[in-house]
Amino acid sequence: MTEPAPEPKPASGDSRARDRAVIARIAAAERWARTSDRAAATEPARRGLRARFEREADPDGVLDAAERARRAEALLTAHMLRLARASAQARRTAAERGRRR
């Protein structure tokens, strides 16, 4: 059995924020415990995200399906790279805060 992820620590040290984070983690754990097929449960969200990038790639609906899909995939990749960059920055900031203490 793997170790649970450490409790997220809010930047402000606010105990209410920590409590909300724990409540959210409990809710997520209970939700996934009741879900037999995670892929099916998250399919609508994946479909919606893909549709968002297809609309962004071709707002007027003039591209053929293959080109729209190619451009949407590129936009999705850019989005994920932005998220990864922001995550790395947040980890660096948290690590720097930890070193200052």
Side-chain angles (χ1 to χ4, degrees):
M1 191 162 148
T2 61
E3 285 287 317
E7 180 181 328
K9 294 193 169 54
S12 67
D14 180 9
S15 65
R16 287 179 299 162
R18 269 195 302 273
D19 194 40
R20 285 191 307 270
V22 171
I23 290 168
R25 289 180 66 205
I26 291 166
E30 288 176 345
R31 192 255 197 255
W32 292 120
R34 291 188 302 270
T35 303
S36 59
D37 186 352
R38 286 183 174 207
T42 58
E43 178 60 27
R46 287 193 305 278
R47 235 185 356 257
L49 189 61
R50 172 77 52 196
R52 167 191 162 189
F53 289 116
E54 286 188 3
R55 283 190 308 273
E56 195 174 311
D58 187 18
D60 300 323
V62 296
L63 298 174
D64 65 70
E67 180 63 13
R68 183 172 36 254
R70 184 190 69 75
R71 291 183 186 191
E73 184 65 30
L75 289 170
L76 176 63
T77 298
H79 174 73
M80 292 300 173
L81 289 169
R82 279 188 207 95
L83 291 176
R85 181 174 181 248
S87 176
Q89 179 61 45
R91 287 190 306 273
R92 277 192 299 274
T93 300
E96 288 170 7
R97 261 197 312 271
R99 280 184 283 225
R100 283 189 226 139
R101 290 183 181 169

